[in-house]
Amino acid sequence: MDLPGAKDIASRFTRYVEELVSVIGHADRAGPFRDYCTGLVMPGERKSVEPMAAITAPGRTAAQHQSLLHFVGQGAWLDDDVLTKVRQMVLPQMTRNGPIEAWIIDDTGIPKKGQHSVGVSHQYCGQLGKQANCQVAVTLSLANRHASLPVAYQLYLPKAWAEDDDRRAKVGVPEEITFKTKPQIALEQIRWACEAGLAGNMALVDAGYGHDSKLRAGITELGKRYVAGIQPQTLVWKPGKRPSRASKKGHRAAPDTISVKDLALGLRRKAWHIIQWREGSNEWLSSRFARVRVHVASERPGKPTKEWLLIEWPEGEKEPTKYFLSTLPSSITFRDLVDAAKLRWRIERDYQELKQEVGLGHYEGRGWRGFHHHATMCIAAYGFLVSERETIPPSGPRPTARLPQLAVPDSYRPRGSSLAA
């Protein structure tokens, strides 16, 4: 049985793309923009330029390949303009069943074999779960219980790249781009979101970002609350001990501090509770948690303020598995605190669908502009899929794409496909 409105999906997609076309400037970009966006949402093993050219123009693949390659790699249209338009169209659909609740900061790794693509380096790749040759992009997503949407996306440029003028010139890194750590990029994205007036009052970050006290302080200074993953060795003042003002050596030299792991291991049995939270559309999950009000031991000047330390220790595990600091109100319920921390799971779905459904990691060009243009187009395509999902009743099936499949020659095999060997 067809879903309500399924017959109109092609016309809705056409209207969506035409709205985006209105902000890319020169009329000559309209055709390639439509085709690129169409190629990203069509079924296919690869969403790089060549296979998308075969999908969108099977009778003139070579010419289409050059057109799309120039559009994404050299086109002078602005990513910010397209992403702004995507927000304007998608957020009303996302918030039909509830407001934006959080800004989720994370990064995504894109494995690469060569050494010449912009920003590629041997570094931690979340997709592979280990150190590997990859590019890493820092992103900010707006999220609620029903959906999420990336609204900022920037490549992390390792110091070796940032300080190499020859490599920068070859891939077109803009002059204003200097070396910044991933937490510094994240804080810039949060500051931009504040200046843009985007909805949401809570930032969620994992331990890779939450360990950075400057990022946490920056979020607070911008008037936002946070739930931040932290490392087990993070120091806090022992409960009942009064923090003093920072000395030259900082609080870390104080004898009355304790790691959050040691604090957790010393908690009484009655401090631990099984808390259930909502994750996904159908399944309820639960785990064992404890929470304590603590002062974080910091080297930043001034008296630290109290915040929540949330600890997860699943039954059957030898020790706690996750730790969070949060500046959410002291009056928040235990379940709501856990629920807020667990909302970060939405970013995992973002990345999974951006990579598997619309080919975020399939771009084969080497340049800065092309890398970001491709990501912008992927976010635009993903935004349409998010909008479509939000029109489907909660009890209905939620496919990511239902556009009619375009004809491709049976003999065509894209480069990079396992079938092309």
PDB file of all heavy atoms in Angstrom, residues 172-192:
ATOM      1  N   GLY A 172      43.439  24.922  -2.624  1.00  0.00           N
ATOM      2  CA  GLY A 172      42.603  26.106  -2.512  1.00  0.00           C
ATOM      3  C   GLY A 172      42.078  26.416  -1.126  1.00  0.00           C
ATOM      4  O   GLY A 172      40.941  26.889  -0.971  1.00  0.00           O
ATOM      5  N   VAL A 173      42.886  26.188  -0.089  1.00  0.00           N
ATOM      6  CA  VAL A 173      42.459  26.559   1.257  1.00  0.00           C
ATOM      7  C   VAL A 173      42.420  28.085   1.358  1.00  0.00           C
ATOM      8  O   VAL A 173      43.428  28.742   1.066  1.00  0.00           O
ATOM      9  CB  VAL A 173      43.416  25.985   2.329  1.00  0.00           C
ATOM     10  CG1 VAL A 173      42.986  26.453   3.725  1.00  0.00           C
ATOM     11  CG2 VAL A 173      43.446  24.470   2.266  1.00  0.00           C
ATOM     12  N   PRO A 174      41.317  28.682   1.755  1.00  0.00           N
ATOM     13  CA  PRO A 174      41.235  30.145   1.847  1.00  0.00           C
ATOM     14  C   PRO A 174      42.270  30.712   2.821  1.00  0.00           C
ATOM     15  O   PRO A 174      42.629  30.065   3.815  1.00  0.00           O
ATOM     16  CB  PRO A 174      39.811  30.383   2.373  1.00  0.00           C
ATOM     17  CG  PRO A 174      39.046  29.167   1.969  1.00  0.00           C
ATOM     18  CD  PRO A 174      40.017  28.039   2.075  1.00  0.00           C
ATOM     19  N   GLU A 175      42.731  31.918   2.548  1.00  0.00           N
ATOM     20  CA  GLU A 175      43.770  32.544   3.371  1.00  0.00           C
ATOM     21  C   GLU A 175      43.324  32.714   4.827  1.00  0.00           C
ATOM     22  O   GLU A 175      44.149  32.635   5.741  1.00  0.00           O
ATOM     23  CB  GLU A 175      44.147  33.911   2.787  1.00  0.00           C
ATOM     24  CG  GLU A 175      44.895  33.834   1.462  1.00  0.00           C
ATOM     25  CD  GLU A 175      45.331  35.208   0.980  1.00  0.00           C
ATOM     26  OE1 GLU A 175      45.117  36.187   1.742  1.00  0.00           O
ATOM     27  OE2 GLU A 175      45.884  35.311  -0.132  1.00  0.00           O
ATOM     28  N   GLU A 176      42.037  32.949   5.036  1.00  0.00           N
ATOM     29  CA  GLU A 176      41.570  33.218   6.401  1.00  0.00           C
ATOM     30  C   GLU A 176      41.503  31.953   7.266  1.00  0.00           C
ATOM     31  O   GLU A 176      41.320  32.042   8.486  1.00  0.00           O
ATOM     32  CB  GLU A 176      40.186  33.883   6.378  1.00  0.00           C
ATOM     33  CG  GLU A 176      39.068  33.029   5.827  1.00  0.00           C
ATOM     34  CD  GLU A 176      38.875  33.182   4.321  1.00  0.00           C
ATOM     35  OE1 GLU A 176      39.816  33.665   3.657  1.00  0.00           O
ATOM     36  OE2 GLU A 176      37.797  32.813   3.836  1.00  0.00           O
ATOM     37  N   ILE A 177      41.666  30.813   6.669  1.00  0.00           N
ATOM     38  CA  ILE A 177      41.624  29.557   7.428  1.00  0.00           C
ATOM     39  C   ILE A 177      42.984  29.307   8.066  1.00  0.00           C
ATOM     40  O   ILE A 177      43.992  29.147   7.375  1.00  0.00           O
ATOM     41  CB  ILE A 177      41.234  28.368   6.528  1.00  0.00           C
ATOM     42  CG1 ILE A 177      39.831  28.571   5.951  1.00  0.00           C
ATOM     43  CG2 ILE A 177      41.296  27.061   7.312  1.00  0.00           C
ATOM     44  CD1 ILE A 177      38.740  28.658   6.991  1.00  0.00           C
ATOM     45  N   THR A 178      43.030  29.293   9.382  1.00  0.00           N
ATOM     46  CA  THR A 178      44.251  29.019  10.131  1.00  0.00           C
ATOM     47  C   THR A 178      44.049  27.751  10.961  1.00  0.00           C
ATOM     48  O   THR A 178      42.939  27.216  11.032  1.00  0.00           O
ATOM     49  CB  THR A 178      44.601  30.187  11.064  1.00  0.00           C
ATOM     50  OG1 THR A 178      43.511  30.407  11.980  1.00  0.00           O
ATOM     51  CG2 THR A 178      44.854  31.465  10.257  1.00  0.00           C
ATOM     52  N   PHE A 179      45.106  27.290  11.584  1.00  0.00           N
ATOM     53  CA  PHE A 179      44.962  26.089  12.402  1.00  0.00           C
ATOM     54  C   PHE A 179      44.088  26.366  13.617  1.00  0.00           C
ATOM     55  O   PHE A 179      44.297  27.339  14.343  1.00  0.00           O
ATOM     56  CB  PHE A 179      46.314  25.568  12.878  1.00  0.00           C
ATOM     57  CG  PHE A 179      46.179  24.429  13.860  1.00  0.00           C
ATOM     58  CD1 PHE A 179      45.784  23.165  13.430  1.00  0.00           C
ATOM     59  CD2 PHE A 179      46.397  24.637  15.219  1.00  0.00           C
ATOM     60  CE1 PHE A 179      45.619  22.135  14.335  1.00  0.00           C
ATOM     61  CE2 PHE A 179      46.239  23.605  16.123  1.00  0.00           C
ATOM     62  CZ  PHE A 179      45.843  22.344  15.681  1.00  0.00           C
ATOM     63  N   LYS A 180      43.114  25.524  13.823  1.00  0.00           N
ATOM     64  CA  LYS A 180      42.267  25.552  15.013  1.00  0.00           C
ATOM     65  C   LYS A 180      42.017  24.116  15.434  1.00  0.00           C
ATOM     66  O   LYS A 180      41.834  23.232  14.592  1.00  0.00           O
ATOM     67  CB  LYS A 180      40.928  26.251  14.737  1.00  0.00           C
ATOM     68  CG  LYS A 180      41.034  27.755  14.492  1.00  0.00           C
ATOM     69  CD  LYS A 180      39.648  28.352  14.328  1.00  0.00           C
ATOM     70  CE  LYS A 180      39.726  29.874  14.145  1.00  0.00           C
ATOM     71  NZ  LYS A 180      40.349  30.240  12.872  1.00  0.00           N
ATOM     72  N   THR A 181      42.002  23.887  16.733  1.00  0.00           N
ATOM     73  CA  THR A 181      41.652  22.563  17.229  1.00  0.00           C
ATOM     74  C   THR A 181      40.178  22.302  16.950  1.00  0.00           C
ATOM     75  O   THR A 181      39.398  23.234  16.701  1.00  0.00           O
ATOM     76  CB  THR A 181      41.909  22.440  18.737  1.00  0.00           C
ATOM     77  OG1 THR A 181      41.017  23.332  19.426  1.00  0.00           O
ATOM     78  CG2 THR A 181      43.360  22.780  19.075  1.00  0.00           C
ATOM     79  N   LYS A 182      39.787  21.061  17.034  1.00  0.00           N
ATOM     80  CA  LYS A 182      38.371  20.738  16.816  1.00  0.00           C
ATOM     81  C   LYS A 182      37.463  21.399  17.855  1.00  0.00           C
ATOM     82  O   LYS A 182      36.397  21.926  17.479  1.00  0.00           O
ATOM     83  CB  LYS A 182      38.195  19.215  16.770  1.00  0.00           C
ATOM     84  CG  LYS A 182      38.684  18.620  15.445  1.00  0.00           C
ATOM     85  CD  LYS A 182      38.589  17.115  15.393  1.00  0.00           C
ATOM     86  CE  LYS A 182      39.795  16.491  16.041  1.00  0.00           C
ATOM     87  NZ  LYS A 182      39.844  15.019  15.820  1.00  0.00           N
ATOM     88  N   PRO A 183      37.829  21.420  19.145  1.00  0.00           N
ATOM     89  CA  PRO A 183      36.982  22.171  20.087  1.00  0.00           C
ATOM     90  C   PRO A 183      36.897  23.663  19.763  1.00  0.00           C
ATOM     91  O   PRO A 183      35.853  24.289  19.982  1.00  0.00           O
ATOM     92  CB  PRO A 183      37.670  21.935  21.442  1.00  0.00           C
ATOM     93  CG  PRO A 183      38.331  20.601  21.296  1.00  0.00           C
ATOM     94  CD  PRO A 183      38.834  20.601  19.878  1.00  0.00           C
ATOM     95  N   GLN A 184      37.968  24.255  19.233  1.00  0.00           N
ATOM     96  CA  GLN A 184      37.914  25.665  18.845  1.00  0.00           C
ATOM     97  C   GLN A 184      36.952  25.875  17.679  1.00  0.00           C
ATOM     98  O   GLN A 184      36.183  26.848  17.657  1.00  0.00           O
ATOM     99  CB  GLN A 184      39.315  26.157  18.477  1.00  0.00           C
ATOM    100  CG  GLN A 184      40.227  26.365  19.671  1.00  0.00           C
ATOM    101  CD  GLN A 184      41.661  26.693  19.275  1.00  0.00           C
ATOM    102  OE1 GLN A 184      42.130  26.315  18.186  1.00  0.00           O
ATOM    103  NE2 GLN A 184      42.368  27.385  20.151  1.00  0.00           N
ATOM    104  N   ILE A 185      36.979  24.962  16.719  1.00  0.00           N
ATOM    105  CA  ILE A 185      36.027  25.042  15.610  1.00  0.00           C
ATOM    106  C   ILE A 185      34.607  24.894  16.138  1.00  0.00           C
ATOM    107  O   ILE A 185      33.692  25.617  15.735  1.00  0.00           O
ATOM    108  CB  ILE A 185      36.327  23.957  14.552  1.00  0.00           C
ATOM    109  CG1 ILE A 185      37.696  24.202  13.907  1.00  0.00           C
ATOM    110  CG2 ILE A 185      35.235  23.934  13.477  1.00  0.00           C
ATOM    111  CD1 ILE A 185      38.150  23.077  12.985  1.00  0.00           C
ATOM    112  N   ALA A 186      34.422  23.942  17.059  1.00  0.00           N
ATOM    113  CA  ALA A 186      33.093  23.715  17.633  1.00  0.00           C
ATOM    114  C   ALA A 186      32.565  24.969  18.328  1.00  0.00           C
ATOM    115  O   ALA A 186      31.393  25.338  18.160  1.00  0.00           O
ATOM    116  CB  ALA A 186      33.148  22.550  18.622  1.00  0.00           C
ATOM    117  N   LEU A 187      33.427  25.635  19.094  1.00  0.00           N
ATOM    118  CA  LEU A 187      32.995  26.839  19.800  1.00  0.00           C
ATOM    119  C   LEU A 187      32.642  27.951  18.812  1.00  0.00           C
ATOM    120  O   LEU A 187      31.678  28.702  19.026  1.00  0.00           O
ATOM    121  CB  LEU A 187      34.077  27.307  20.767  1.00  0.00           C
ATOM    122  CG  LEU A 187      33.691  28.468  21.691  1.00  0.00           C
ATOM    123  CD1 LEU A 187      32.433  28.136  22.493  1.00  0.00           C
ATOM    124  CD2 LEU A 187      34.849  28.808  22.625  1.00  0.00           C
ATOM    125  N   GLU A 188      33.378  28.047  17.715  1.00  0.00           N
ATOM    126  CA  GLU A 188      33.040  29.031  16.688  1.00  0.00           C
ATOM    127  C   GLU A 188      31.665  28.737  16.090  1.00  0.00           C
ATOM    128  O   GLU A 188      30.883  29.649  15.820  1.00  0.00           O
ATOM    129  CB  GLU A 188      34.106  29.038  15.591  1.00  0.00           C
ATOM    130  CG  GLU A 188      35.409  29.704  15.995  1.00  0.00           C
ATOM    131  CD  GLU A 188      36.358  29.860  14.814  1.00  0.00           C
ATOM    132  OE1 GLU A 188      36.069  29.277  13.742  1.00  0.00           O
ATOM    133  OE2 GLU A 188      37.375  30.564  14.971  1.00  0.00           O
ATOM    134  N   GLN A 189      31.374  27.459  15.868  1.00  0.00           N
ATOM    135  CA  GLN A 189      30.072  27.098  15.314  1.00  0.00           C
ATOM    136  C   GLN A 189      28.947  27.432  16.292  1.00  0.00           C
ATOM    137  O   GLN A 189      27.883  27.916  15.888  1.00  0.00           O
ATOM    138  CB  GLN A 189      30.057  25.614  14.960  1.00  0.00           C
ATOM    139  CG  GLN A 189      30.953  25.273  13.774  1.00  0.00           C
ATOM    140  CD  GLN A 189      30.965  23.787  13.449  1.00  0.00           C
ATOM    141  OE1 GLN A 189      30.641  22.943  14.284  1.00  0.00           O
ATOM    142  NE2 GLN A 189      31.350  23.453  12.225  1.00  0.00           N
ATOM    143  N   ILE A 190      29.178  27.187  17.587  1.00  0.00           N
ATOM    144  CA  ILE A 190      28.170  27.517  18.595  1.00  0.00           C
ATOM    145  C   ILE A 190      27.983  29.030  18.673  1.00  0.00           C
ATOM    146  O   ILE A 190      26.855  29.526  18.770  1.00  0.00           O
ATOM    147  CB  ILE A 190      28.568  26.930  19.960  1.00  0.00           C
ATOM    148  CG1 ILE A 190      28.535  25.400  19.905  1.00  0.00           C
ATOM    149  CG2 ILE A 190      27.642  27.435  21.065  1.00  0.00           C
ATOM    150  CD1 ILE A 190      29.115  24.734  21.137  1.00  0.00           C
ATOM    151  N   ARG A 191      29.085  29.781  18.613  1.00  0.00           N
ATOM    152  CA  ARG A 191      28.988  31.241  18.639  1.00  0.00           C
ATOM    153  C   ARG A 191      28.202  31.746  17.428  1.00  0.00           C
ATOM    154  O   ARG A 191      27.351  32.639  17.538  1.00  0.00           O
ATOM    155  CB  ARG A 191      30.397  31.846  18.666  1.00  0.00           C
ATOM    156  CG  ARG A 191      30.403  33.363  18.814  1.00  0.00           C
ATOM    157  CD  ARG A 191      31.809  33.892  18.987  1.00  0.00           C
ATOM    158  NE  ARG A 191      32.395  33.467  20.260  1.00  0.00           N
ATOM    159  CZ  ARG A 191      33.412  32.619  20.368  1.00  0.00           C
ATOM    160  NH1 ARG A 191      33.965  32.102  19.286  1.00  0.00           N
ATOM    161  NH2 ARG A 191      33.875  32.288  21.568  1.00  0.00           N
ATOM    162  N   TRP A 192      28.478  31.169  16.264  1.00  0.00           N
ATOM    163  CA  TRP A 192      27.732  31.536  15.055  1.00  0.00           C
ATOM    164  C   TRP A 192      26.249  31.235  15.211  1.00  0.00           C
ATOM    165  O   TRP A 192      25.391  32.049  14.850  1.00  0.00           O
ATOM    166  CB  TRP A 192      28.303  30.777  13.856  1.00  0.00           C
ATOM    167  CG  TRP A 192      27.351  30.735  12.697  1.00  0.00           C
ATOM    168  CD1 TRP A 192      27.125  31.717  11.774  1.00  0.00           C
ATOM    169  CD2 TRP A 192      26.428  29.677  12.389  1.00  0.00           C
ATOM    170  NE1 TRP A 192      26.124  31.335  10.903  1.00  0.00           N
ATOM    171  CE2 TRP A 192      25.689  30.086  11.253  1.00  0.00           C
ATOM    172  CE3 TRP A 192      26.167  28.426  12.952  1.00  0.00           C
ATOM    173  CZ2 TRP A 192      24.716  29.279  10.679  1.00  0.00           C
ATOM    174  CZ3 TRP A 192      25.188  27.625  12.383  1.00  0.00           C
ATOM    175  CH2 TRP A 192      24.477  28.048  11.259  1.00  0.00           C
TER     176      TRP A 192
END
